[in-house]
Amino acid sequence: MKRTITLCAALTIFLCTGCQRIPDTMPTHSDAPEETSAAQEPVPTDENGDILIRIATDETEYLPPELESAMEEFNLLDNGYHVKPVIYSKAVMGTDGSGGLQTADMRLLMDVMQGENVDVVMDYSFFDLSNYDILSEKGAFVDLYTFLDGDSGISRSELNAHVLEIHENDGKLYQMPLSYKIETMVGNAEYVGTKENWTMDEMIEKWEQAPEGTNFCGNSTQWPVYRSLVRSNMGAFVDYENGTCFFDSPEFIRLLEFVSQFTESKVKIEPDYNNNFVAPCIFYGFDNFHMSYHGDSYLREEHPVYVGYPTENGQGSFVDTLRKRYSICESAHPAVQEGAWEFFSYMLDADVQIKNCVSYDKDNFKQNPYFEENGFPINQTAFERIAEGMIAHAGTSRIMDFSGIDEDVSYLTQEEYERLLRLIDSLHRMDAPIDKVANTIIENEIEALFAGERTAEEAAKAIQGRMEIMISERS
């Protein structure tokens, strides 16, 4: 399906310079009178006459398992729709119409902007996930609230409204997370106190009071502390919605000053979690939360304190939905958009969500009673049913082997579940993707800081300048 673009000049610059800059306004059919609107164009169909829904993916061997199974099962429903992957191989460089080299990301960006070849995009469709976030800000995707508040498919009341709100842009929902993880930092109360979600001042105060020999994130050398404390939370300093960043902020400068005080090491030092002050922690699901609540490999203490990453507003824990977000292209035919929403509704169904978020080996569960978890489901019924199933077995013996030591870990309790709900309610932001190019920019300056060639303020200023250029080129 070919369409004439009204922003030829912008796209010519895009192709000639290689900068993946996206126009401030996405081309729309109403902007181009000579175009035929999507509603008037023929509905794309497959050889069987089913309405075709084209989803951008990497090579099919790298499909996310939940997407692969959903496509297979949805296509067997004989409901008049067929979901088809469109390959944008991240391992292959292609060429544009003039013979110039194009990455898969560039080709996909062009197709989304032109309204060609693709109807559904997931953040994982891109090598650099930040491209997806920038497209979300530019109006390339449909506001999914129009479907959630409609008469067909899944409804808004069936999903976690709080997590959806975190994903909003100016009150609109351009991306649908299928599931989510929780990222935070946990600490022993004897070191960090009992207050959750601390500020930078509170973290520094507690660290200065820690006994001699206390480990920070299992280590006390510069790079490991940087990676745990700063790099893991780098998204807090990037705002794709407004196309800016905050690496020259007093908060970031203080973080750099903090990590640079640790000793430098030229050799790899194995982590030592004895006498550990804090550790980064990712909760993948209910059982994972339960296990950490009773002493994980980082702390070995019951009832860890969720201090989060240190922030000025004391809201340092966050939702992580990277590689789990899906969108419907604004340029897709209305009939295709309806079909895409049917597909989304299938993936958001409670039974499908339970199957995708929790699994275990029934044959070997007695010998190795471990759950494989892939996030908390966004569907509230699925969320509650998984929790209820585990709570029903609270107090039941469950022996697991930890490095040759048997421990009775039992199952999620009602008290733990309620604490998990409070933790989720305390989350107010989502993780922002920082790609490899950005990490290279940042860590080159961090290396100069650790070598004593820059002060923390100078390193922060240099990072800010280089990141501003990169973000402006893309947004």
Side-chain angles (χ1 to χ4, degrees):
M1 178 173 62
K2 289 284 184 183
R3 294 197 181 103
T4 304
I5 311 184
T6 61
L7 295 176
C8 295
L11 293 175
T12 300
I13 294 172
F14 176 96
L15 291 171
C16 292
T17 64
C19 295
Q20 299 185 13
R21 182 175 178 82
I22 302 171
D24 289 337
T25 304
M26 299 298 295
T28 62
H29 305 291
S30 59
D31 290 337
E34 72 275 9
E35 284 189 321
T36 304
S37 71
Q40 295 174 320
E41 291 185 5
V43 180
T45 57
D46 67 3
E47 63 275 9
N48 298 316
D50 292 332
I51 294 176
L52 198 58
I53 304 164
R54 299 161 299 183
I55 180 168
T57 72
D58 194 357
E59 299 287 351
T60 52
E61 62 187 289
Y62 303 124
L63 281 176
E66 69 272 12
L67 175 61
E68 184 175 20
S69 61
M71 287 196 302
E72 292 176 358
E73 294 161 6
F74 183 79
N75 287 339
L76 290 174
L77 295 178
D78 194 24
N79 55 9
Y81 298 111
H82 183 83
V83 181
K84 174 186 176 182
V86 178
I87 308 301
Y88 293 83
S89 177
K90 298 171 186 175
V92 177
M93 287 283 286
T95 57
D96 59 26
S98 63
L101 287 176
Q102 280 188 320
T103 65
D105 276 18
M106 292 171 68
R107 294 197 304 275
L108 179 52
L109 283 167
M110 292 289 290
D111 284 351
V112 172
M113 288 190 295
Q114 291 180 310
E116 294 185 348
N117 303 325
V118 62
D119 309 300
V120 172
V121 175
M122 52 181 169
D123 62 350
Y124 192 50
S125 302
F126 292 95
F127 180 80
D128 289 335
L129 273 61
S130 59
N131 287 320
Y132 172 85
D133 289 81
I134 294 169
L135 282 174
S136 295
E137 302 301 335
K138 297 299 182 182
F141 305 134
V142 173
D143 178 9
L144 298 176
Y145 279 144
T146 60
F147 288 106
L148 282 169
D149 297 331
D151 298 327
S152 63
I154 207 87
S155 66
R156 191 192 297 220
S157 62
E158 296 177 73
L159 307 180
N160 187 311
H162 178 61
V163 175
L164 292 185
E165 185 179 351
I166 292 173
H167 288 75
E168 288 180 4
N169 301 97
D170 295 327
K172 298 182 184 297
L173 185 70
Y174 297 120
Q175 44 189 282
M176 175 61 70
L178 296 185
S179 60
Y180 60 97
K181 297 178 291 208
I182 300 170
E183 292 201 33
T184 186
M185 294 191 82
V186 295
N188 286 326
E190 66 175 295
Y191 296 138
V192 304
T194 57
K195 180 180 181 293
E196 297 185 348
N197 292 315
W198 57 11
T199 64
M200 189 73 186
D201 286 336
E202 290 167 337
M203 184 194 74
I204 292 174
E205 177 187 359
K206 294 296 184 182
W207 174 248
E208 291 176 346
Q209 295 172 357
E212 187 74 23
T214 302
N215 291 299
F216 196 103
C217 299
N219 210 310
S220 289
T221 55
Q222 290 172 333
W223 279 109
V225 174
Y226 161 78
R227 293 189 182 100
S228 296
L229 181 63
V230 184
R231 184 175 180 177
S232 296
N233 190 38
M234 198 70 75
F237 301 96
V238 176
D239 180 1
Y240 290 113
E241 184 172 356
N242 296 302
T244 188
C245 54
F246 314 101
F247 293 103
D248 59 351
S249 64
E251 184 177 347
F252 189 72
I253 292 171
R254 293 188 71 195
L255 280 172
L256 296 189
E257 290 172 341
F258 182 80
V259 299
S260 63
Q261 72 177 312
F262 290 89
T263 58
E264 182 183 9
S265 175
K266 300 294 185 183
V267 297
K268 182 178 180 180
I269 299 177
E270 291 299 321
D272 180 2
Y273 295 112
N274 294 314
N275 305 317
N276 204 26
F277 182 65
V278 290
C281 191
I282 303 176
F283 297 126
Y284 294 88
F286 297 95
D287 200 49
N288 173 241
F289 180 80
H290 162 75
M291 300 284 281
S292 68
Y293 196 77
H294 285 276
D296 61 17
S297 58
Y298 300 114
L299 295 176
R300 287 295 175 197
E301 177 178 296
E302 293 193 3
H303 305 284
V305 180
Y306 307 123
V307 292
Y309 294 91
T311 58
E312 294 306 307
N313 61 9
Q315 297 176 354
S317 303
F318 56 88
V319 169
D320 180 356
T321 54
L322 300 184
R323 297 174 180 81
K324 297 291 184 179
R325 299 173 294 161
Y326 288 73
S327 297
I328 300 173
C329 293
E330 177 67 38
S331 59
H333 192 287
V336 175
Q337 291 182 6
E338 292 288 343
W341 181 245
E342 288 292 324
F343 180 57
F344 280 27
S345 296
Y346 178 83
M347 291 193 291
L348 293 168
D349 176 78
D351 290 334
V352 174
Q353 290 247 297
I354 291 172
K355 180 184 69 174
N356 287 333
C357 287
V358 180
S359 62
Y360 65 98
D361 188 336
K362 294 181 180 179
D363 295 332
N364 299 317
F365 189 72
K366 288 185 178 180
Q367 288 73 36
N368 182 31
Y370 177 74
F371 291 96
E372 183 71 32
E373 296 180 296
N374 298 300
F376 298 97
I378 194 75
N379 184 295
Q380 278 294 93
T381 297
F383 184 95
E384 292 165 4
R385 280 168 54 186
I386 294 172
E388 289 168 359
M390 292 186 178
I391 292 171
H393 294 87
T396 304
S397 178
R398 179 166 59 131
I399 307 298
M400 293 189 68
D401 184 300
F402 295 92
S403 302
I405 301 174
D406 287 343
E407 293 188 26
D408 189 348
V409 298
S410 191
Y411 297 88
L412 183 77
T413 68
Q414 183 67 34
E415 177 190 0
E416 293 165 0
Y417 177 62
E418 291 172 1
R419 192 176 184 199
L420 172 62
L421 294 179
R422 290 195 297 271
L423 176 60
I424 293 172
D425 286 342
S426 75
L427 307 175
H428 295 283
R429 69 178 179 89
M430 58 184 285
D431 194 14
I434 302 294
D435 56 44
K436 293 181 179 179
V437 174
N439 269 320
T440 299
I441 290 173
I442 294 166
E443 294 188 4
N444 283 343
E445 302 301 334
I446 298 297
E447 187 171 6
L449 168 66
F450 290 166
E453 299 169 5
R454 293 188 189 274
T455 65
E457 188 170 354
E458 289 169 342
K461 184 177 180 180
I463 292 170
Q464 178 71 13
R466 296 178 67 184
M467 287 295 293
E468 280 180 346
I469 293 171
M470 192 198 78
I471 293 173
S472 66
E473 286 178 342
R474 294 189 176 185
S475 60

